[in-house]
Amino acid sequence: MKKICVIGLGYIGLPTASVLANHGFKVVGVDINNEIILKVGNGEPHIKEPGLRTLVESAIKSGNLIVKNVPEEADAFIIAVPTPITKDKRADLSYVKSAAESIVPYLKKGNLVILESTSPPGTTEHFLSPILAKSNLKIGEELFVAYCPERVLPGKILKELIGNDRVIGGITLESGLKAKEIYLSFIEGNIYLTDATTAEMVKLMENTYRDVNIALANELAGLCEDLGINAWEVIELANKHPRVNLHKPGPGVGGHCIPVDPWFIVEKFPEKAKLIKQSREINDHQPHKVFEIICSMTKDIPNPKVAVLGVSFKGNVDDARESPAIELIKLLKKNNFIVAAHDPYVENFECELVSLEEAFKGADLAVVLADHDDYRRLNLRELGMLMRHKKILDTRHVLNEGLILTEGFIYRLIGKGRI
Ligand code: SAJ
């Protein structure tokens, strides 16, 4: 396995292709987007991720990574394309289908195909393998197929790509062993072999575990608000128990994984996956809850202006996909609020982004939606002076309550009730 073709140069494919190239493999990175080909070909990543620029640059300079818009013959193929969700909450496998079809003409006896994209249980065996079988190679005997989900955290992708344990689900034992050989070359964590459907379910359950626990935290926040106590204190104290790990409440769950993956289970088990479905609904409702709090904090103000702080789906990343900010801003605008949004990382967003000063100028309320480190260091004395009303809503618990109150703000923290 000396030459690897990586299909899809996104958040997972590009770091994976670059790491492999830096570990001595000959890598062909394939993407259908010509802008990405052009950028990456010049040694420039199209996504912001700590350490990625250096890695891509050296991969391209070494000649070990080349990028193209069509695949070519290789020993192994890694498919890392998106599996988005359709409007009716089902997995859209069209990118997996076209990626698989695009490699069929290049497949040879002894090749290995690895799927990394998050997929509903059964995809590798019942969706991918039948497409690959069009090569006339016998799956599991002449063509090896495995599922190896990515598990990296945006913002720490490179560190986790190398350090995390990996689960590999081979369509046969030999398929799994061949895939293990590749990952062993750059992974410092452990590698666990299983079957493909188990590996798919492992990936989905990791993110579902998180979603369900965030829903529990969001529910807890609502209960504490009614009780007049502070959910953040409850969480901190409950987590002193050695077997408790309560998650954090917030404005909702964003990103392209956690709000999506649980639906892949619900799609298969619409009746049985009750808790999973309800958790999704609780988390999806959070932006509406934030909207209601904003309405109650601004109810006597005509034409209120809201400064939205942070449109990325979480702190310190530039990714705004499925961000709770999208739904909240939509609600605010629909209800005639003036909205000025700021984010120190995000460059492309659905609405115009302005400077911090511009956002605070004449605002009646500021709402913190992303836990960016920058927001922990806000100069609220100066920014407060730009506001029409000094009101602030913290949905992430990043602000210092004592300091805010000394600056004369009216302050609310999600999950903290007032008796
Ligand atoms: N969030 C909360 N409360 C919390 C934790 C997170 O509201 O206590 C919110 C975040 O603000 C964000 C969303 O949930 O909007 C998801 O953020 P995250 O940090 O939990 O996860 P992602 O989407 O960045 O990455 C997840 C990771 N999965 C797990 O930790 C189980 C990552 O390891 C996966 O590789 C990634 O999904 C993926 O690609 O599937």
Side-chain angles (χ1 to χ4, degrees):
M1 300 282 167
K2 293 240 156 38
K3 182 174 170 188
I4 301 178
C5 202
V6 178
I7 317 290
L9 295 176
Y11 278 84
I12 302 304
L14 181 59
T16 305
S18 314
V19 167
L20 286 166
N22 280 292
H23 280 78
F25 288 95
K26 287 283 172 204
V27 182
V28 181
V30 179
D31 205 287
I32 48 170
N33 182 332
N34 282 328
E35 266 176 53
I36 293 180
I37 301 285
L38 213 66
K39 262 196 144 172
V40 176
N42 285 326
E44 257 183 80
H46 60 100
I47 43 178
K48 278 193 207 153
E49 187 60 39
L52 188 58
R53 178 170 291 273
T54 323
L55 202 71
V56 172
E57 224 173 63
S58 86
I60 293 284
K61 264 197 191 140
S62 69
N64 275 355
L65 174 62
I66 59 159
V67 284
K68 301 172 60 187
N69 54 13
V70 283
E72 60 182 51
E73 286 192 356
D75 300 312
F77 296 81
I78 296 180
I79 299 176
V81 293
T83 43
I85 194 155
T86 60
K87 276 208 171 74
D88 58 343
K89 310 286 186 199
R90 305 178 76 82
D92 172 1
L93 295 177
S94 58
Y95 295 103
V96 175
K97 182 171 184 276
S98 50
E101 285 170 347
S102 76
I103 61 174
V104 167
Y106 304 98
L107 293 174
K108 294 183 314 247
K109 196 172 170 186
N111 276 176
L112 165 70
V113 179
I114 299 170
L115 178 65
E116 283 212 11
S117 315
T118 306
S119 304
T123 301
T124 308
E125 199 174 339
H126 303 297
F127 184 84
L128 176 65
S129 295
I131 300 176
L132 299 175
K134 290 181 190 157
S135 63
N136 290 327
L137 296 166
K138 220 166 162 14
I139 304 293
E141 285 175 30
E142 295 174 320
L143 180 67
F144 303 99
V145 183
Y147 181 70
C148 180
E150 59 82 12
R151 308 163 109 181
V152 293
L153 196 72
K156 290 188 185 163
I157 289 183
L158 292 181
K159 193 168 163 265
E160 295 209 349
L161 196 57
I162 290 167
N164 284 3
D165 291 350
R166 292 295 283 243
V167 174
I168 298 176
I171 211 96
T172 53
L173 179 63
E174 208 179 346
S175 298
L177 287 169
K178 283 193 182 290
K180 183 176 176 180
E181 220 179 280
I182 292 182
Y183 291 99
L184 265 182
S185 69
F186 68 92
I187 275 177
E188 287 166 7
N190 298 314
I191 295 178
Y192 300 98
L193 286 188
T194 181
D195 62 274
T197 306
T198 301
E200 287 160 346
M201 201 57 180
V202 167
K203 167 69 196 188
L204 293 176
M205 276 318 287
E206 289 168 359
N207 283 350
T208 300
Y209 162 86
R210 209 149 162 83
D211 198 45
V212 171
N213 277 286
I214 297 167
L216 183 63
N218 283 330
E219 188 166 287
L220 167 70
L223 306 181
C224 292
E225 284 161 14
D226 286 0
L227 284 170
I229 59 172
N230 186 348
W232 299 88
E233 190 185 352
V234 172
I235 292 168
E236 192 188 332
L237 296 177
N239 285 349
K240 304 277 183 209
H241 186 289
R243 285 175 298 282
V244 174
N245 177 23
L246 284 170
H247 287 39
K248 295 182 202 143
V253 171
H256 50 292
C257 309
I258 297 191
V260 172
D261 300 357
W263 289 116
F264 293 2
I265 299 178
V266 177
E267 169 186 343
K268 281 254 168 201
F269 302 101
E271 296 303 323
K272 280 192 175 163
K274 289 191 181 66
L275 177 62
I276 298 176
K277 185 163 183 274
Q278 200 175 9
S279 301
R280 270 291 64 246
E281 286 162 357
I282 291 175
N283 290 336
D284 274 353
H285 182 70
Q286 282 304 106
H288 296 255
K289 175 179 163 172
V290 174
F291 172 69
E292 281 156 24
I293 302 177
I294 293 176
C295 287
S296 82
M297 287 179 80
T298 55
K299 66 174 180 297
D300 301 322
I301 304 172
N303 305 318
K305 173 178 170 180
V306 175
V308 171
L309 307 184
V311 299
S312 67
F313 79 93
K314 65 173 187 176
N316 305 325
V317 298
D318 69 339
D319 191 345
R321 281 177 294 175
E322 310 291 330
S323 163
I326 298 172
E327 185 64 15
L328 177 65
I329 292 173
K330 212 188 284 167
L331 282 169
L332 288 168
K333 285 190 171 166
K334 201 169 136 201
N335 288 279
N336 300 322
F337 282 80
I338 300 163
V339 179
H342 167 266
D343 196 290
Y345 295 92
V346 176
E347 276 167 13
N348 299 314
F349 188 60
E350 318 211 330
C351 70
E352 189 203 354
L353 297 174
V354 298
S355 69
L356 210 48
E357 289 71 23
E358 204 52 45
F360 273 86
K361 206 157 119 196
D364 298 292
L365 178 137
V367 54
V368 178
L369 286 189
D371 40 355
H372 294 314
D373 287 341
D374 301 47
Y375 294 153
R376 296 179 202 277
R377 301 184 288 262
L378 289 179
N379 185 341
L380 285 172
R381 175 165 297 174
E382 279 177 16
L383 292 168
M385 283 194 300
L386 300 172
M387 298 179 83
R388 187 160 69 158
H389 290 94
K390 288 166 77 168
K391 296 184 182 217
I392 201 153
L393 167 61
D394 186 356
T395 69
R396 295 287 193 177
H397 202 205
V398 297
L399 303 174
N400 179 329
E401 178 174 358
L403 215 72
I404 295 171
L405 295 178
T406 352
E407 295 303 336
F409 276 85
I410 292 176
Y411 161 79
R412 284 240 11 220
L413 168 65
I414 207 163
K416 185 175 179 196
R418 294 169 303 169
I419 309 166

